[in-house]
Amino acid sequence: MESMESKLTKAKMESCGWQLKEYPKVNLNDSYMVYFRDFRTDTLTVMALQKVAFSDFKVNHKLPISNLVEKLTPLLNKLHNGNGLTEGEVDEINPVLIHYIKKTQTFFKWKNTFGGRTRAHFIINIYKDNQAGGEYLILRPVLIGSAEEIIIADDVTQMTDEIYYLDRERNKSWFR
């Protein structure tokens, strides 16, 4: 039986244009949202990360961010191939994703600018790494501060398009 919290999450997400096979079993107010736009498959996905898990996570400063991208690659590939992730894979991706986000300069700038006073929404554009033969991914993180629990799907699409066009202009080597 679906809980009231799950029903509210589903209703809120659907009202914002998110048509998902499965809705996160979380309270949106207690979560940070991560929006993925995979430009290889032109798919848009959203995941919820619990604020408590995010704030409690201790970063390994010695671990290179490239190792985290390597760990995320097969899970993100599966997430965007149309099958989605199993519950165990969601449990696996969440800490790696939190670790990745907390190691980005984007997060560092947000933390220093807002000090956690605004709700964080993480947008990650996914590009194929052509220089590595397409086997790996280029993850392009952007952090948005907004009081909203979840950003409207069409707005995320528009933002990710803008980021993509800026990246194509500024980081041409990513797209060769």
Side-chain angles (χ1 to χ4, degrees):
M1 186 164 162
E2 195 174 21
S3 72
M4 180 58 86
E5 197 169 277
S6 292
K7 288 178 185 178
L8 290 172
T9 297
K10 183 176 180 178
K12 175 70 173 181
M13 292 182 81
E14 286 179 350
S15 74
C16 289
W18 293 99
Q19 303 300 316
L20 306 174
K21 291 178 185 173
E22 295 220 14
Y23 289 85
K25 295 171 178 65
V26 296
N27 179 334
L28 292 178
N29 191 48
D30 296 335
S31 302
Y32 291 123
M33 304 310 287
V34 183
Y35 310 90
F36 297 98
R37 174 81 180 276
D38 192 330
F39 281 86
R40 301 167 307 157
T41 58
D42 194 29
T43 53
L44 185 65
T45 311
V46 61
M47 289 182 67
L49 298 174
Q50 290 185 322
K51 288 180 181 178
V52 170
F54 194 89
S55 64
D56 289 351
F57 189 87
K58 302 295 182 224
V59 173
N60 177 349
H61 295 286
K62 294 179 182 178
L63 182 67
I65 201 163
S66 60
N67 287 24
L68 297 168
V69 172
E70 252 182 67
K71 288 181 180 182
L72 286 170
T73 294
L75 295 167
L76 291 173
N77 284 339
K78 186 166 183 204
L79 179 66
H80 292 104
N81 73 4
N83 297 328
L85 299 175
T86 65
E87 196 170 314
E89 289 167 330
V90 170
D91 291 342
E92 182 182 344
I93 198 172
N94 283 348
V96 179
L97 188 56
I98 291 169
H99 202 170
Y100 167 77
I101 289 169
K102 288 182 105 173
K103 285 190 70 90
T104 65
Q105 288 187 7
T106 302
F107 176 75
F108 182 75
K109 287 177 189 174
W110 174 78
K111 186 177 167 191
N112 286 337
T113 303
F114 297 106
R117 293 184 305 276
T118 65
R119 177 184 294 275
H121 294 268
F122 306 99
I123 295 175
I124 300 177
N125 276 5
I126 301 172
Y127 310 130
K128 178 171 62 171
D129 187 349
N130 291 322
Q131 294 179 1
E135 186 177 338
Y136 298 101
L137 303 177
I138 294 173
L139 302 182
R140 169 62 154 92
V142 176
L143 205 145
I144 307 286
S146 171
E148 298 297 321
E149 290 177 323
I150 187 163
I151 298 174
I152 295 169
D154 287 344
D155 292 347
V156 174
T157 298
Q158 181 180 349
M159 285 184 260
T160 57
D161 281 345
E162 291 170 9
I163 296 161
Y164 173 78
Y165 291 117
L166 281 173
D167 285 343
R168 287 201 60 94
E169 190 176 299
R170 295 179 182 166
N171 301 299
K172 292 179 175 144
S173 65
W174 292 357
F175 301 96
R176 289 188 192 149

